[in-house]
Amino acid sequence: MISLKNVSKSFGDTQVLKDISFEIQRGEVVCLIGPSGSGKSTILRCINGLERHDGGEIVVDGSVLGEKSLPAIRAKVAMVFQRFNLFPHRTAQENVAEGPIHVAGRPVAEAMTEARTLLERVGLGDKCDAYPAKLSGGQQQRVGIARALAMKPQAILFDEPTSALDPERVGEVLKVMRTLADEGMTMVIVTHEIGFAREVADRVLFMDRGRIVESGPAREVLTAPKVERTRVFLDRVLNPL
Amino acid sequence: MDQFLTDAVKFLPILMSGLGVTIAVTLAALVISVILGLVWALMGISRNRMLRAISRVVINTVRGVPIIVQLFYVYFVLPELGVQLDAFVAGAIGLGVAYSVYQAENFRAGFSSVDPMLIETAQSLGMSERKIMLRVIMPLAIRVTLPPFGNTSVMLLKDSSIASTITVAELTRAGQLLAVSTFQNMSVYTLIALLYLAMSLPLTYLVGRLERRFARK
Ligand SMILES: Nc1ncnc2c1ncn2[C@@H]1O[C@H](COP(=O)(O)OP(=O)(O)OP(=O)(O)O)[C@@H](O)[C@H]1O
Ligand SMILES: [Mg+2]
């Protein structure tokens, strides 16, 4: 579904992605973990064309990412952001319906009804008319997920979807994501929630300084990492004191 | 006071036509200033370095020259270059150009208040550049732009009196002519001041309300 071949990316003189290659199958849930600044967000941003990679090749659903294929690829790959990024001047329901109406060109009434159904699905049926400022972080992020789903994507990229949340709000968002995973959605998730990754992810990619230094089945990598740097990182995340 | 009231009854009808011209020249200049201001602001945030430089030069130049000199330029100098303009048109263009740089600053502040992450979000949804402008940038920028835009409009309304210097028969000019012919300086200029206030105070009030409404959101 998504494959990267020898992808590299520099900002000025600093190379932030070095020779990244991996493949994500349809229906697979892959977690990207690694220390801050290792390039996790940059990978997601490249797949979505928010950042242009300078070397290698990104292929989504059979088409090579480039100027021409970008709109089609964006229609297939949705994104969920750390800081939710809801449109503040639109209600929850309008946020969700924005893409279907103004990108996919669907009829307004139909898209709004569907937006309501999606909000119900993420447990926010009663918040349709609320503006983002009136919602908690957890609620905003669930609207963000509903907005991504509204585009009927084939895959969703999550960039630290829970790290801007109060600890007691993390669970409600992870629960929605777990449901999506169970329903077979293809997901690439940048996260520091190791417990979630262990239970929900099929595979884990561990990144450090622009490289993927370890990858494999989630349970294996997260319980018995083979690479020293992965071990040190996991130890630090799981035992912060 | 009695004198003022009888003068007022006599003079007001005469001043009313001037008031009409003031409103007309203000509105015309406002339209020109908004269009040009948008152009300068969009050039100023463009990816093209050349356009950004032009925008900066234009803004600094126009801002650095007194409005009255700009009006003289349009009305007296352009004809020498073969562009003959009627006083009203020259006034509207001169004021419009002069004010376009303040409008540009209002728009720039509005545009730069929009969180770039929201623009990226819209891109990731697959929105076209045009839709992003219309559905994300404009509606968000306008909340920041509208209050200073209101203030700029009030200033423009008052500065439209400068057009009197190039013979536009607006309120101030009509008053001057009336004062010269009747010697009732006190009554005439008090009336003129009151008429300007009658327009600018409600506008100022409206701007204040807008400001408070956007602040709450
Ligand atoms: N627009 C940019 N311009 C310059 N450098 C950038 C830019 N975006 C990211 N970087 C740099 O690229 C590197 C990788 O950044 P990236 O955001 O991908 O890391 P990350 O793994 O997501 O980290 P975090 O966990 O902090 O989110 C960092 O060193 C960062 O400073
Ligand atoms: Mg990041």
Side-chain angles (χ1 to χ4, degrees), chain A residues 45 48 50 74 77 79 81 83 85-90 98-99 102-103 131 147 151, chain B residues 115 117-128 131 134-136 139-140 143 217:
Chain A
R45 293 169 57 80
N48 200 262
L50 289 176
R74 280 181 172 161
V77 180
M79 208 156 166
F81 300 86
R83 307 222 61 97
N85 298 6
L86 298 184
F87 300 120
H89 55 306
R90 309 207 184 278
E98 184 74 11
H102 294 281
V103 178
Y131 283 91
R147 176 173 64 183
M151 297 305 286
Chain B
D115 183 355
M117 303 270 280
L118 290 179
I119 298 172
E120 286 193 344
T121 304
Q123 285 172 337
S124 81
L125 282 174
M127 260 196 220
S128 64
K131 286 262 181 173
L134 290 176
R135 303 221 24 105
V136 181
L140 289 172
R143 302 159 168 229
K217 279 228 172 171

Side-chain angles (χ1 to χ4, degrees), chain A residues 104-233:
Chain A
R106 304 269 307 284
V108 175
E110 195 184 301
M112 288 297 269
T113 312
E114 226 173 85
R116 178 176 290 274
T117 312
L118 281 169
L119 285 171
E120 278 161 8
R121 233 176 101 187
V122 297
L124 293 172
D126 55 334
K127 298 290 182 193
C128 282
D129 298 324
Y131 283 91
K134 293 274 188 293
L135 299 174
S136 73
Q139 291 169 331
Q140 287 189 55
Q141 193 57 296
R142 284 186 280 155
V143 176
I145 294 173
R147 176 173 64 183
L149 288 171
M151 297 305 286
K152 304 194 196 314
Q154 297 182 14
I156 305 182
L157 314 175
F158 295 80
D159 192 357
E160 301 198 36
T162 59
S163 42
L165 298 179
D166 292 336
E168 77 267 25
R169 293 289 186 173
V170 170
E172 64 192 59
V173 171
L174 292 182
K175 209 176 104 196
V176 170
M177 291 171 60
R178 176 191 286 257
T179 311
L180 287 179
D182 292 344
E183 290 168 2
M185 176 61 78
T186 309
M187 298 159 79
V188 185
I189 308 166
V190 173
T191 186
H192 293 298
E193 299 289 337
I194 304 300
F196 174 82
R198 189 159 34 208
E199 284 185 43
V200 178
D202 300 307
R203 250 182 333 132
V204 162
L205 307 177
F206 178 77
M207 281 197 74
D208 191 32
R209 280 173 255 168
R211 284 182 202 284
I212 294 175
V213 295
E214 183 165 4
S215 69
R219 267 169 212 283
E220 261 173 47
V221 175
L222 295 174
T223 43
K226 294 196 181 74
V227 178
E228 177 64 17
R229 269 186 276 173
T230 317
R231 205 172 306 146
V232 171
F233 175 79

Side-chain angles (χ1 to χ4, degrees), chain B residues 68-149:
Chain B
I68 192 166
V69 176
Q70 294 183 49
L71 289 186
F72 287 171
Y73 214 87
V74 175
Y75 191 57
F76 298 118
V77 179
L78 286 190
E80 290 186 17
L81 304 172
V83 185
Q84 199 79 43
L85 294 172
D86 130 280
F88 180 89
V89 175
I93 292 177
L95 286 167
V97 170
Y99 264 77
S100 69
V101 298
Y102 304 115
Q103 302 288 21
E105 173 53 29
N106 296 339
F107 291 131
R108 193 206 55 77
F111 287 138
S112 64
S113 75
V114 179
D115 183 355
M117 303 270 280
L118 290 179
I119 298 172
E120 286 193 344
T121 304
Q123 285 172 337
S124 81
L125 282 174
M127 260 196 220
S128 64
E129 295 261 315
R130 200 180 68 88
K131 286 262 181 173
I132 292 176
M133 192 40 115
L134 290 176
R135 303 221 24 105
V136 181
I137 299 178
M138 291 285 200
L140 289 172
I142 208 160
R143 302 159 168 229
V144 172
T145 294
L146 217 45
F149 172 81

Side-chain angles (χ1 to χ4, degrees), chain B residues 33-73:
Chain B
S33 72
V34 165
I35 294 169
L36 285 179
L38 255 179
V39 171
W40 309 145
L42 288 174
M43 280 168 71
I45 57 170
S46 121
R47 271 174 292 233
N48 186 321
R49 275 178 52 185
M50 194 66 197
L51 290 180
R52 286 205 305 271
I54 294 175
S55 153
R56 206 171 330 111
V57 169
V58 169
I59 288 176
N60 288 337
T61 308
V62 173
R63 219 202 308 246
V65 177
I67 296 179
I68 192 166
V69 176
Q70 294 183 49
L71 289 186
F72 287 171
Y73 214 87

